[in-house]
């Protein structure tokens, strides 16, 4: 930005504080949400370990049965790492130090899986069969620093026995009961398969069969991380293998519930000053719902918006708590005050105060005084907005077809974009509220009272008093309808009547129904709906209607979408066509879309391939590349070595072509010898 260094430091400090707050809040929230499932898993491991220690192992499960926890985490795979990290730490602290976590990408074959298990449990170098001769040479030369171990479960059993003997010997000098020694000797060995669906079924089957042979010497336990359904175990493993597992199912909290909790904690609160406008919020929620279901990525998107807001908005130094914002306001310079005068929301406010326009334009002290009142009003708006939003959601979330959405975030998005009371869905919701029974209405109003109870705002306290008065009136009603002594027009009908007389009578009946007096409950119910409607119209105004809202609200949805929902092909083509934009080297500057001959090899090869047709002759391509590179090296067209292909140029060209094939620009073809097929067309 153009503003002074002091303002930049202030904004950076505020951004860092909010960033750390997001991180702390989400970590605490993650621990709280995972507490039940992790406690259940810990109890399961303790129970299995205790059963084995007390000699009941044979009676409760066969000797060839491995206790296995099937942990269903959902399809939000990016969030699984945090869960497994917490689980591993808890297991090491509370149950056993022998824990190994595995991922499918590092266990393509059985020997790789076995090697990873031994390395992570024994903390030693493990020999594999292909590297055995090389390792022997290293051992003979004395260069091996760690003791190498043969890659087999027998080595793991020997290590486990030596570990348990050491622990029992170290405690032999102390007075310990035999049960305590036995407990130390029977610590389970836990192996966690983080992404079960991605493992090779054959590798998994062989590993389970091998492990089942060593259960008498090694107290093994498995934890399967499942993203889809528990039935995947039966689909991946035949009955002969799955029967060796003693499975117990554990279900984690759904990712949508997790997201609702995160939004409630970080966004739908007045204590967190940074806000998202409707479009940015919609982008983040859409990426969550239609791409990855990852709460972790949603939080990263929120942090990106936070960073962009404090970087691009010089007035974001006022995006903090009320007292801090008032202090920061007094420290604003002339440039920042001029930015306030240019804000669209402030200009709308200024138009409403015609007599004070000159003072606001020329007097900085008076401008600060007005802005102080406006900031105070903005904080009050947030303090009243969220309780009323939750009350409206409480009243409408159980209505048929959910006219204002099933989740509070859906209602929040509607309120951010327009006056919610002007929508047809809102009118429908109000009509449905006027049809609620007495018990339903009382129950919903009691929930609303619970929402308003902790709020310290004066307006919310007054609203709570009025709500409690309406509740008392509803409870005092006996539910009896008022008797009406109206003569029914049906009785006045003659046995024989003509069409005109019948039509007249029916119209009279319709009019009498309209003019029928309402019962006391219906009158009171309408009063409740009108009360709620008044609260909505007073407190659920869109933030754009409030002066200085730009200070707190980030509104660049295009930037967030570009960073989080990127298009790799477009980015790669832009980088290859304009390397200067990424490398920032003045030598690479060029005009008219051309590429400098000093550009990286892949950029030159990419530019040359754009000039070719569907099939590219590799020899012609190589010669053209060599000519461009020779010019970059400073050789003139008349020199002897100009355009000639030497070994170095040939190797560089092969590497560039290989990189382009890896990126998907070309592929090998059998249609012509020494040709490749071009796969992409068009510009960026």
């Amino acid at each position: 930005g153009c503003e002074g260094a002091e303002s930049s430091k202030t904004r950076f400090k505020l951004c860092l504080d909010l960033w750390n707050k997001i991180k702390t809040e989400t970590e605490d929230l993650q621990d709280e949400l995972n507490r039940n499932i992790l406690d259940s898993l810990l109890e399961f491991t303790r129970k299995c370990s205790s059963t084995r220690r007390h000699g009941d192992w044979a009676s409760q499960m066969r000797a060839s049965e491995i206790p296995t926890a099937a942990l269903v985490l959902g399809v939000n795979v990016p969030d699984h790492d945090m869960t497994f990290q917490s689980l591993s730490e808890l297991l090491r602290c509370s149950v056993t130090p022998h824990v190994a976590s595995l991922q499918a990408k590092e266990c393509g074959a059985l020997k790789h899986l076995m090697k990873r298990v031994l390395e992570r449990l024994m903390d030693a170098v493990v020999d594999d069969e292909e590297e055995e001769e090389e390792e022997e040479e290293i051992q003979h030369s004395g260069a091996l620093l760690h003791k190498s171990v043969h890659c087999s479960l027998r080595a793991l059993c020997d290590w486990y026995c030596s570990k348990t003997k050491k622990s029992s010997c170290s405690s032999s000098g102390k007075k310990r009961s035999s049960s305590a020694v036995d407990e130390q000797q029977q610590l389970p060995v836990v192996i966690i398969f983080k992404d079960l669906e991605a493992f090779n079924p054959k590798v998994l089957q062989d590993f389970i069969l091998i492990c089942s042979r060593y259960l008498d010497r090694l107290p093994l336990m498995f934890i399967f991380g499942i993203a889809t359904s528990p039935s995947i175990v039966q689909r991946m493993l035949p009955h002969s293998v799955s029967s060796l597992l003693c499975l117990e199912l554990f279900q984690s909290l759904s990712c949508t519930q997790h997201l609702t909790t995160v939004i409630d904690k970080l966004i739908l609160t007045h204590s967190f000053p940074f806000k998202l406008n409707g479009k940015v919020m919609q982008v983040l929620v859409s990426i969550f719902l239609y791409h990855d279901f990852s709460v972790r990525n949603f939080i990263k998107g929120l942090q990106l918006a936070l960073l962009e807001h404090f970087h691009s908005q010089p007035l974001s130094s006022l995006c903090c708590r009320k007292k801090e914002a008032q202090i920061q306001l007094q420290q604003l310079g002339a440039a920042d005050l001029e930015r306030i005068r240019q804000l669209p929301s402030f200009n709308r406010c200024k138009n409403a105060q015609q007599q004070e326009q000159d003072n606001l334009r020329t007097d900085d002290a008076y401008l600060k005084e007005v802005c102080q009142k406006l900031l105070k009003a903005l904080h009050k708006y947030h303090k009243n907005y969220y309780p009323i939003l939750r009350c409206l959601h409480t009243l409408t979330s159980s209505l048929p077809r959910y006219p204002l959405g099933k989740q509070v975030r859906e209602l929040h998005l509607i309120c951010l974009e327009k006056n919610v009371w002007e929508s047809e869905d809102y009118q429908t919701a109000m009509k449905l509220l006027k049809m609620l029974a007495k018990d339903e209405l009382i129950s919903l109003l009691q929930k609303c009272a619970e929402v308003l109870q902790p709020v310290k705002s004066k307006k919310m306290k007054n609203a709570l008093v009025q709500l409690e008065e309406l509740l008392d009136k509803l409870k005092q009603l006996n539910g009896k309808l008022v008797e009406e002594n109206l003569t029914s027009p049906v009785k006045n009908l003659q046995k024989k009547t003509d069409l005109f007389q019948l039509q007249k009578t029916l119209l009279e009946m319709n009019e009498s129904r309209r003019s029928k007096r309402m019962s006391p409950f219906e009158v009171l119910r309408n009063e409740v709906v009108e009360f709620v409607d008044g609260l909505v119209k007073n407190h659920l105004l869109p933030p754009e209607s409030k002066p200085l809202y730009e200070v707190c609200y980030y509104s660049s949805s295009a930037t967030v979408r570009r960073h989080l929902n990127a298009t790799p092909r477009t980015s790669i083509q832009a980088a290859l066509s304009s390397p200067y934009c990424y490398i920032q080297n003045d030598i690479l500057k060029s005009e008219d879309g051309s590429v400098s001959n000093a550009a990286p090899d892949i950029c030159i090869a990419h530019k040359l391939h754009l000039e070719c047709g569907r099939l590219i002759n590799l020899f012609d391509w190589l010669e053209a590349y060599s000519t461009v590179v020779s010019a970059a090296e400073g050789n003139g067209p008349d020199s002897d070595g100009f355009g000639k292909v030497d070994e170095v140029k040939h190797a560089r060209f092969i590497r560039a072509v290989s990189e382009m094939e890896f990126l998907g620009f070309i592929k090998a073809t059998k249609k012509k010898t020494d040709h490749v097929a071009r796969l992409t067309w068009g510009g960026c």
Side-chain angles (χ1 to χ4, degrees):
C2 303
E3 68 286 347
E6 193 63 34
S7 175
S8 299
K9 287 180 182 177
T10 303
R11 284 157 48 204
F12 177 75
K13 183 179 179 299
L14 289 172
C15 180
L16 192 61
D17 290 343
L18 289 175
W19 182 289
N20 292 332
K21 185 177 180 181
I22 291 176
K23 186 179 178 182
T24 305
E25 292 279 359
T26 50
E27 286 175 355
D28 294 344
L29 193 62
Q30 180 79 20
D31 293 340
E32 185 180 343
L33 293 174
N34 287 335
R35 187 174 299 152
N36 291 336
I37 187 73
L38 294 179
D39 288 347
S40 302
L41 281 168
L42 287 177
E43 185 61 32
F44 172 74
T45 53
R46 290 194 189 100
K47 180 181 70 175
C48 294
S49 179
S50 174
T51 306
R52 186 180 178 95
R53 284 199 303 267
H54 291 108
D56 296 331
W57 185 265
S59 61
Q60 296 198 11
M61 60 179 71
R62 297 189 301 276
S64 59
E65 218 168 30
I66 305 171
T68 305
L71 178 57
V72 182
L73 293 171
V75 294
N76 51 328
V77 178
D79 298 339
H80 295 180
D81 284 340
M82 291 190 294
T83 304
F84 283 119
Q85 185 179 352
S86 301
L87 176 60
S88 300
E89 291 172 358
L90 283 172
L91 285 171
R92 288 190 179 97
C93 295
S94 306
V95 181
T96 174
H98 313 313
V99 180
S101 295
L102 304 174
Q103 283 186 296
K105 64 183 180 182
E106 56 190 11
C107 303
L110 180 62
K111 64 178 179 181
H112 298 148
L113 193 154
M114 200 78 76
K115 186 176 180 180
R116 297 293 177 270
V117 170
L118 267 64
E119 283 177 348
R120 280 159 199 182
L121 288 172
M122 302 168 64
D123 194 22
V125 177
V126 179
D127 286 341
D128 107 7
E129 294 177 3
E130 294 178 359
E131 299 174 353
E132 191 171 349
E133 294 180 3
E134 183 181 345
E135 292 291 339
E136 285 178 3
E137 291 176 6
I138 295 174
Q139 282 181 355
H140 289 309
S141 64
L144 190 64
L145 299 177
H146 299 283
K147 184 181 178 181
S148 62
V149 178
H150 184 61
C151 186
S152 69
L153 273 188
R154 183 178 298 173
L156 183 62
C157 290
D158 296 339
W159 169 84
Y160 182 78
C161 290
S162 65
K163 275 283 183 183
T164 52
K165 285 179 182 177
K166 281 182 183 178
S167 60
S168 60
C169 290
S170 62
S171 59
S172 60
K174 303 176 183 179
K175 293 183 179 180
R176 289 185 63 184
S177 63
S178 59
S179 61
V181 175
D182 188 43
E183 181 177 347
Q184 180 68 26
Q185 292 176 347
Q186 297 298 329
L187 290 175
V189 177
V190 181
I191 301 175
I192 301 174
F193 298 84
K194 290 184 176 181
D195 45 353
L196 184 72
E197 290 92 344
F199 276 85
N200 186 330
K202 178 62 178 170
V203 171
L204 199 60
Q205 292 169 26
D206 293 342
F207 182 71
I208 293 171
L209 287 169
I210 294 170
C211 289
S212 65
R213 304 293 179 88
Y214 288 88
L215 273 181
D216 55 337
R217 299 172 56 190
L218 200 62
L220 285 166
M221 292 178 63
F222 293 160
I223 295 177
F224 289 163
I226 298 174
T228 53
S229 168
S231 60
I232 190 67
V233 177
Q234 279 71 35
R235 289 202 295 270
M236 290 182 67
L237 306 175
H239 178 71
S240 58
V241 178
S242 62
S243 61
L244 300 175
L245 305 175
C246 178
L247 276 167
E248 188 165 333
L249 183 64
F250 297 88
Q251 182 76 48
S252 70
L253 190 71
S254 73
C255 52
T256 51
Q257 290 174 305
H258 192 172
L259 177 69
T260 301
T261 312
V262 167
I263 290 176
D264 191 65
K265 193 94 172 178
L266 295 178
I267 295 176
L268 303 182
T269 173
H270 71 276
S271 61
F272 195 72
F274 173 69
K275 309 293 178 188
L276 303 175
N277 83 334
K279 290 182 179 179
V280 178
M281 181 82 172
Q282 186 63 58
V283 168
L284 294 181
V285 173
S286 297
I287 291 173
F288 172 85
L289 292 175
Y290 301 118
H291 286 264
D292 53 13
F293 285 104
S294 172
V295 178
R296 188 179 183 183
N297 288 348
F298 179 87
I299 294 166
K300 285 181 179 178
L302 179 62
Q303 289 176 323
L304 171 67
L306 174 74
L307 196 63
E308 286 286 338
H309 177 65
F310 278 90
H311 173 70
S312 61
Q313 175 56 270
L315 296 174
S316 58
S317 56
L318 302 176
C319 182
C320 49
R321 293 184 179 275
K322 184 168 67 174
K323 291 183 179 178
E324 296 175 8
Q326 291 175 355
I327 295 171
Q328 293 295 334
L329 179 64
Q330 299 303 322
Q331 297 176 356
L332 290 182
D336 288 329
L337 292 175
E338 189 58 35
R339 290 188 182 99
I340 290 178
R341 292 186 179 101
Q342 300 301 322
L343 290 177
S345 63
F346 185 76
N347 286 328
R348 287 196 297 269
C349 165
K350 202 166 62 172
N351 292 335
Q353 303 171 5
Q354 294 290 335
Q355 299 176 354
E356 301 177 0
Q357 281 193 19
D358 293 336
N359 290 336
L360 289 172
R361 196 180 299 113
T362 57
D363 191 348
D364 289 350
Y366 181 71
L367 177 63
K368 288 182 180 180
E369 184 182 340
V370 171
C371 289
Q372 194 166 0
K373 294 177 183 177
L374 294 176
L375 282 175
K376 192 175 181 181
L378 185 63
H379 282 86
K380 283 184 178 179
Y381 162 75
H382 289 142
K383 205 168 186 179
N384 297 329
Y385 174 90
Y386 295 109
I388 299 302
L389 180 76
R390 289 193 173 89
C391 286
L392 183 59
H393 174 254
T394 301
L395 291 169
T396 59
S397 60
S398 58
L399 295 177
R401 297 187 179 180
Y402 311 107
L404 292 178
K406 193 175 182 180
Q407 303 288 342
V408 68
R409 65 171 180 266
E410 299 173 50
L411 178 58
H412 179 54
L413 284 172
I414 297 172
C415 295
L416 285 176
E417 293 180 357
K418 60 184 178 181
N419 293 331
V420 65
W421 58 87
E422 294 177 355
S423 66
E424 292 183 9
D425 292 332
Y426 178 83
Q427 301 299 332
T428 303
M430 292 299 105
K431 289 177 182 177
L432 290 171
L433 284 178
K434 291 180 180 180
M435 300 170 64
L436 289 177
K438 177 183 171 183
D439 293 340
E440 292 174 329
L441 188 59
I442 290 175
S443 174
L444 292 174
L445 291 179
Q446 285 174 340
K447 291 179 181 177
C448 291
E450 291 173 4
V451 171
L452 297 176
Q453 192 75 41
V455 185
K456 296 179 181 179
S457 167
K458 290 182 180 179
K459 290 185 178 180
M460 292 300 101
K461 286 181 179 179
N462 293 334
L464 179 61
V465 171
Q466 295 178 48
L467 186 61
E468 288 175 344
E469 289 176 358
L470 291 170
L471 269 171
D472 292 338
K473 289 179 182 179
L474 282 169
K475 291 175 182 177
Q476 289 170 5
L477 286 176
N478 55 12
K480 292 182 180 179
L481 295 174
V482 177
E483 295 292 335
E484 297 191 43
N485 299 321
L486 295 174
T487 58
S488 176
V490 179
K491 295 180 180 179
N492 297 330
L493 278 176
Q494 300 174 359
K495 290 183 179 179
K496 291 182 180 181
T497 184
D498 57 5
L499 184 60
F500 175 76
Q501 185 67 29
L502 177 62
Q503 187 178 8
K504 182 180 177 182
T505 307
L506 290 174
L507 286 171
E508 289 176 0
M509 289 174 65
N510 191 27
E511 288 296 328
S512 66
R513 284 176 182 171
R514 287 182 181 178
S515 62
K516 182 181 176 182
R517 287 194 304 169
M518 291 188 294
S519 68
F521 168 67
E522 289 172 335
V523 173
L524 197 53
R525 182 173 58 189
N526 287 349
E527 188 180 340
V528 168
V529 173
E530 288 173 6
F531 168 71
V532 171
D533 186 52
L535 289 177
V536 168
K537 290 179 179 178
N538 287 332
H539 301 296
L540 290 190
L541 294 163
E544 282 83 354
S545 64
K546 296 295 175 182
L548 302 185
Y549 84 94
E550 295 95 339
V551 166
C552 298
Y553 283 83
Y554 179 68
S555 57
S556 180
S557 58
T559 303
V560 174
R561 187 183 287 107
R562 187 173 68 250
H563 284 293
L564 298 182
N565 205 11
T567 52
R569 177 187 166 183
T570 305
S571 301
I572 291 170
Q573 285 184 323
L576 295 178
S577 303
S578 307
Y580 172 75
C581 297
Y582 291 82
I583 302 177
Q584 296 294 316
N585 189 338
D586 292 336
I587 302 175
L588 302 178
K589 278 188 177 180
S590 59
E591 297 178 357
D592 303 329
S594 60
V595 176
S596 168
N597 55 13
D601 294 335
I602 188 173
C603 296
I604 297 171
H606 175 264
K607 179 63 178 176
L608 293 171
H609 112 286
L610 292 176
E611 300 170 1
C612 301
R614 188 170 57 86
L615 295 177
I616 305 173
N617 187 313
L618 284 171
F619 183 74
D620 294 342
W621 195 6
L622 172 60
E623 283 195 327
Y625 167 82
S626 179
T627 303
V628 174
V629 172
S630 296
E633 292 173 350
N635 297 327
D638 300 330
S639 61
D640 295 336
F642 184 79
K644 289 187 177 180
V645 180
D646 56 20
E647 292 181 354
V648 175
K649 290 177 186 174
H650 194 190
R652 287 168 60 185
F653 175 74
I654 291 173
R655 183 177 65 180
V657 170
S658 300
E659 289 172 348
M660 288 191 65
E661 184 178 10
F662 176 75
L663 292 173
F665 288 99
I666 57 173
K667 72 171 184 178
T669 180
K670 294 181 180 178
K671 291 183 178 180
K672 272 191 177 182
T673 308
D674 296 333
H675 280 67
V676 292
R678 183 177 169 185
L679 298 177
T680 60
W681 305 90
C684 298

